[in-house]
Amino acid sequence: ANAVEFHSVTRQFGDSTHPVTALADVSFAIPRGSVFGVLGESGAGKSTLLRMMNGLDHPTEGRVLVGGTDLATLTQKQLNRMRHKIGVVFQAFNLVGNLTVTQNVALPLKLQKLKDPQKVEDMINFVGLGHRAGHYPAQLSGGEKQRVAIARALVTSPLLLLCDEPTSALDTHTTGEILDLLRSTRDRFGTTIVLVTHELDAVKAICDQAAIFETGHLKDIVSVNASHAES
Ligand code: ADP
Ligand code: ADP
């Protein structure tokens, strides 16, 4: 089964005199439990693609299926419920500055009026920040902040983890550590991971497959790292 399917998806912005085609007739599938790269330069359509997987934007033409469900058929309430099963990690970490690591990680549960201190602690330990649980974001390095963001994204046991340029603000060494953590996430929890990046090295490091985009067009889908994926 596929975690995500795009069927002939086109997304246009602007009006008929000045149309901007962000995505042009894009079709692909992301197998459940895989790490899938979305590679392209600025303006390739990557952000638009990611927003569609999260139901924040919709195709002008075509269909987007997440977990087998066409997002266009969902009510706002159903869409919100589905979004609870999608984790998102951003380039700029997006942590809440006046909350501790523990409070940041607990936030998605709190927003759903849930409480699970054990799960929060487990996720903080999983990302290797047990010794930083009481710290505030300003006291953490960039890599540590991104670990917190990953723990926060995982605390609701998402089926799908969307990562938008998660290593673009990090140095090479830290980038490697964060990519390893994403790979471990998939291996440990079976989470389907979408890694949006302009960095070919990131794709080579952890992806099973990658879709290569140029100005809204899907140029190629390549298998990467296939041997690695089994180990
Ligand atoms: P990327 O994330 O790869 O940089 P985007 O998905 O942000 O690419 O953008 C693809 C194209 O669509 C760009 O030309 C961008 O300017 C355009 N675009 C994206 N969102 C909008 C919008 N809300 N309104 C108008 N144009 C948009
Ligand atoms: P980011 O690219 O940092 O993830 P956004 O999701 O806000 O940030 O925007 C994605 C892209 O869409 C931006 O690169 C921007 O060029 C484009 N975009 C967003 N809104 C508009 C708009 N109203 N007009 C043109 N382009 C837009």
Side-chain angles (χ1 to χ4, degrees), residues 11-22:
R11 178 62 166 110
Q12 278 185 327
F13 294 103
D15 54 33
S16 50
T17 39
H18 300 100
V20 176
T21 304

Side-chain angles (χ1 to χ4, degrees), residues 91 146 164-171 174-175 178-179 197 199 202:
Q91 174 177 351
Q146 198 58 298
D164 191 359
E165 302 273 2
T167 60
S168 295
L170 305 174
D171 63 43
T174 311
T175 290
I178 294 299
L179 293 174
T197 183
E199 297 166 332

Side-chain angles (χ1 to χ4, degrees), residues 7-145:
H7 294 273
S8 306
V9 170
T10 293
R11 178 62 166 110
Q12 278 185 327
F13 294 103
D15 54 33
S16 50
T17 39
H18 300 100
V20 176
T21 304
L23 293 172
D25 195 20
V26 168
S27 300
F28 63 92
I30 304 179
R32 208 161 270 175
S34 66
V35 181
F36 191 87
V38 175
L39 186 66
E41 300 299 321
S42 182
K46 307 186 298 299
S47 302
T48 302
L49 194 90
L50 214 51
R51 281 202 292 273
M52 282 183 179
M53 290 184 196
N54 208 355
L56 294 172
D57 192 12
H58 300 284
T60 313
E61 288 174 61
R63 295 187 304 141
V64 174
L65 275 58
V66 174
T69 303
D70 183 344
L71 297 188
T73 67
L74 299 181
T75 64
Q76 192 59 47
K77 197 172 168 185
Q78 290 170 321
L79 199 55
N80 290 341
R81 198 175 306 140
M82 197 205 69
R83 264 194 218 120
H84 289 151
K85 285 290 162 193
I86 300 179
V88 189
V89 174
F90 305 93
Q91 174 177 351
F93 321 127
N94 296 23
L95 301 178
V96 181
N98 62 352
L99 298 182
T100 64
V101 167
T102 297
Q103 290 167 333
N104 266 283
V105 174
L107 207 52
L109 294 173
K110 199 171 178 192
L111 292 173
Q112 293 180 56
K113 304 199 193 311
L114 300 173
K115 230 178 177 175
D116 193 344
Q118 187 60 54
K119 186 73 182 285
V120 171
E121 191 183 329
D122 288 349
M123 289 306 113
I124 292 172
N125 287 331
F126 173 71
V127 302
L129 287 183
H131 59 304
R132 295 269 188 263
H135 286 59
Y136 289 89
Q139 300 172 288
L140 304 177
S141 68
E144 288 173 332
K145 285 180 199 167

Side-chain angles (χ1 to χ4, degrees), residues 191-213:
T191 318
T192 306
I193 297 182
V194 181
L195 175 66
V196 169
T197 183
H198 63 276
E199 297 166 332
L200 180 60
D201 286 348
V203 164
K204 282 185 181 164
I206 62 160
C207 294
D208 302 313
Q209 278 186 294
I212 300 165
F213 285 86

